[in-house]
Amino acid sequence: MIPVFEPMIGETEIEYVTDALRRGEISGNFGTYLDRFEKGFAAYCGCKHGIAVTSGTTALHLAVDAARIGAGDEVLISASTNIATALGVYHNGGLPVPVDSENVTWNLDLELVESLITPRTKAIIPVHLFGHPVDMDHLMEIATRHNIIVIEDCAESHGATVRGRMTGSFGDMACYSFYANKVITTGEGGMVTTNDDQLAERLRLLRNLGFTKPRFRHDVAGYNFRMTSYQAAMGLAQLEKIDTIIAEKRRVAATYNSLLADVPGLRLPVELNWAKNVYWMYALTVEPDFGSTRDELASKLAQAGVETRTFFCPMNRQPVFKELPGFRADNCPVADRLWETGLYLPSSPTLSDKKLEFVRDAIVVARN
Ligand SMILES: Cc1ncc(COP(=O)(O)O)c(C=O)c1O
C-alpha cells in the first residue's frame, strides 16, 4: 500500500532525541532543546515568540483562551477544516461560525466574511487549507477595519507564503501542528507563534497551569499543554530540513500536476500567482465528467494499493454543533460539495516518480 503520508525521519532526529534522553531532558523545563526549537521555529515563521504545546488542537485552544474569547463571542472559521479549529472556540464557550469555501483554492471565501460579521464577532480563524495560503493581506484589511482578532490556523501551511511573507506572521497569533503527517513532525505536538509580547506571556502562563509566584498560588485557570524536551529535540532536527521537505513536497505536486493534467474530470490544486503552496497534501476534486464518483475512485485506488483520504466534513454539517444555541449552520454549498468530491492522494516527500506514475495509472484504470 502506498500510504497517504510517511514522515522523513533520519539520523539527526535519532541523534537529537537520544541526546535529550541521555541528558535527562525529559520534560520541557530542563535543558535547551525546547527553547531552541521554540526560538528557531518562531524565527522561521517570521515571528518573535513561539510557545510549544502538545498538539495543534491544544495550540488552538490556548490561543483562543489567550485572546479572552468566551461565552457570547462569535468566531468566524473556515467551514472546510479539521474539527480542531472549531473545538478551540467551542471548548472556550464561544460560538464557531462557519464561512463557506471559495472554489479555487478551497480556502474560506473572503467575499463572504463581512456579511457574517455581527457585533458579537470577536475573532476569525482562517485555515490555510492543504498548504495553500489564504490571501492574508486581504483578510487583515477586513479584520483591521472591523477590529477583530486574527488567529491563523497554520496546521497545514508551515512555510507557505503570501507575496513572499510567511503564513503565521500576519495575524495576532498562529497555531501549528506537528502531528506525524504534518510538514514537520514531533509525533504529537504544536506551537502558537505571535509577535505580541503580552500575548506570549499569557500563552506561556496558560500553558503551564497558570503558575506564578508564589508557587502553587494560581490567579488563572491554566492547562498543562507543555511539550516535552525530547519532542522538541525531534522538532529541531525536522526544522533543520524543513526547506528540503517543502521542496520535495513541491516536486511531488509538480509531478502529479503533469501526470494528471490530461485526465478528464479531475480538478487539480492551484498555486495563485501571489502564493507559495507547500502542498501539505496533494488534494483534488472528482468532477461529474470523471465517470465515477469520488467514493468509487477511492475504493478502486484502495484495491490497487493506493491509500487516499476525503476532504473534511465541513463545520456546518457537524452533528456535534447542531444543537449549539445560536449555531448558524448557514448554507456552505462549496464546502458541502468539497466534502462530497474531494480526495487527497499519497503526498509523502519521499515518493519516487515511479510511485507517482503508479498512482496516475491506477487513477486512469479506475476511470475506465
Ligand atoms: C487545519 C487543522 N487544524 C488543526 C489540526 C489539529 O492538529 P493536531 O492533530 O496536532 O491536534 C489539524 C490536523 O490535524 C488541521 O489539519
Side-chain angles (χ1 to χ4, degrees), residues 54-58 60 81-82 84-85 127 129 153 155-156 176-179 181-182 188-190 280 312:
T54 49
S55 67
T57 304
T58 53
L60 285 154
T81 184
N82 182 301
T85 316
V127 179
L129 195 69
D153 185 338
E156 305 176 1
Y176 292 85
S177 164
F178 304 124
Y179 176 63
N181 67 10
K182 294 306 187 291
E188 297 282 356
W280 168 59
F312 295 114

Side-chain angles (χ1 to χ4, degrees), residues 38 41-67 69 84-85 123-128 134 136 139-140 149-160 162 165-178 189-196 199-200 203-204:
E38 286 185 334
F41 187 73
Y44 174 80
C45 300
C47 291
K48 196 165 160 194
H49 304 282
I51 294 89
V53 292
T54 49
S55 67
T57 304
T58 53
L60 285 154
H61 190 136
L62 194 71
V64 172
D65 192 335
I69 291 162
T85 316
I124 180 164
I125 310 182
V127 179
H128 305 291
V134 172
M136 289 306 296
L139 186 143
M140 290 309 293
I149 296 162
V150 177
I151 301 171
E152 292 179 67
D153 185 338
C154 296
E156 305 176 1
S157 76
H158 320 50
V162 177
R165 182 170 162 190
M166 282 282 182
T167 50
S169 69
F170 289 84
D172 299 276
M173 287 175 272
C175 298
Y176 292 85
S177 164
F178 304 124
M191 201 179 296
V192 185
T193 59
T194 183
N195 281 310
D196 185 307
L199 277 174
L203 288 160
R204 287 188 201 287

Side-chain angles (χ1 to χ4, degrees), residues 14-62:
I14 294 167
E15 190 191 311
Y16 286 10
V17 173
T18 311
D19 182 54
L21 295 178
R22 288 220 166 92
R23 287 164 180 271
E25 291 196 26
I26 306 299
S27 55
N29 293 348
F30 310 104
T32 62
Y33 277 113
L34 191 75
D35 188 53
R36 284 161 69 198
F37 180 46
E38 286 185 334
K39 288 202 168 95
F41 187 73
Y44 174 80
C45 300
C47 291
K48 196 165 160 194
H49 304 282
I51 294 89
V53 292
T54 49
S55 67
T57 304
T58 53
L60 285 154
H61 190 136
L62 194 71

Side-chain angles (χ1 to χ4, degrees), residues 66-110:
R68 299 176 198 275
I69 291 162
D73 294 327
E74 294 179 0
V75 180
L76 303 179
I77 58 166
S78 302
S80 183
T81 184
N82 182 301
I83 188 110
T85 316
L87 288 180
V89 179
Y90 173 84
H91 287 308
N92 279 288
L95 187 69
V97 178
V99 182
D100 198 10
S101 318
E102 43 87 351
N103 229 336
V104 180
T105 66
W106 308 320
N107 280 319
L108 82 174
D109 188 342
L110 296 178

Side-chain angles (χ1 to χ4, degrees), residues 299-312:
S299 84
K300 284 182 189 162
L301 287 178
Q303 281 161 26
V306 177
E307 191 188 23
T308 59
R309 291 260 197 291
T310 68
F311 281 24
F312 295 114

